[in-house]
Amino acid sequence: MENQVKTQAQIEQEMLELNKQFGEFLHTKGITAKFKLAFSNMGDSARKQHEADKARYEAVKAQSAEENAEFVEFLHTKGLKAKFNLVVENIKKGAQAAPQRTAESIAKAKAQAHVPVNPHAGVHAAHGHYTAESLAEEFNEFLKMKGLDTQYTVEIKSSDKE
């Protein structure tokens, strides 16, 4: 089901309609007349809902027919021999397109699986001698490469006990 946001004008219009219907209900004389009016209103409401549902169903049906054109063609084909020939023809088409689709899938999987990873990217060799500032710079560059520089920063303070 779809949730629809109603404007204030739509809500007011519905309230006026309900007040009008309730006023008619109150002014009818006798229990039989009240029931007839209530059922008449329910019937009108059901008809409106049915029309809305029918329109939605037709839209979904049309979309489904577009997405499944081969199946719809199969359903509309008359005769067992014609259906068999259609199935064989579709299998042949699928077999011809299969290598290309497989190659595309493999290429896509390889592209996703072979993301270049360089563990030393952004790391500068300092020949075994690091300062607190150089370590902080290196680590912050690493965080930036990982996209974490907006969340974290590293600050290294050196101790003078070296």
Side-chain angles (χ1 to χ4, degrees), residues 18-39 41:
L18 285 173
N19 284 339
K20 178 184 163 202
Q21 289 177 3
F22 190 64
E24 290 174 8
F25 179 76
L26 291 176
H27 288 43
T28 52
K29 303 293 181 194
I31 190 78
T32 305
K34 288 184 190 237
F35 272 109
K36 284 183 181 178
L37 180 62
F39 283 118
N41 289 344

Side-chain angles (χ1 to χ4, degrees), residues 81-110:
K81 186 175 181 180
K83 286 187 185 226
F84 178 76
N85 289 336
L86 181 65
V87 168
V88 170
E89 182 181 319
N90 286 338
I91 290 172
K92 287 179 183 177
K93 286 179 186 176
Q96 289 174 351
Q100 180 183 1
R101 284 195 314 263
T102 304
E104 290 172 0
S105 297
I106 290 171
K108 187 177 178 182
K110 282 184 179 180

Side-chain angles (χ1 to χ4, degrees), residues 60-127:
V60 169
K61 186 176 172 183
Q63 180 184 3
S64 179
E66 285 178 16
E67 293 172 356
N68 301 310
E70 291 177 352
F71 184 68
V72 171
E73 183 181 3
F74 176 79
L75 290 177
H76 292 296
T77 303
K78 303 291 182 192
L80 184 61
K81 186 175 181 180
K83 286 187 185 226
F84 178 76
N85 289 336
L86 181 65
V87 168
V88 170
E89 182 181 319
N90 286 338
I91 290 172
K92 287 179 183 177
K93 286 179 186 176
Q96 289 174 351
Q100 180 183 1
R101 284 195 314 263
T102 304
E104 290 172 0
S105 297
I106 290 171
K108 187 177 178 182
K110 282 184 179 180
Q112 290 176 349
H114 289 92
V115 176
V117 177
N118 185 356
H120 302 293
V123 177
H124 306 290
H127 305 291

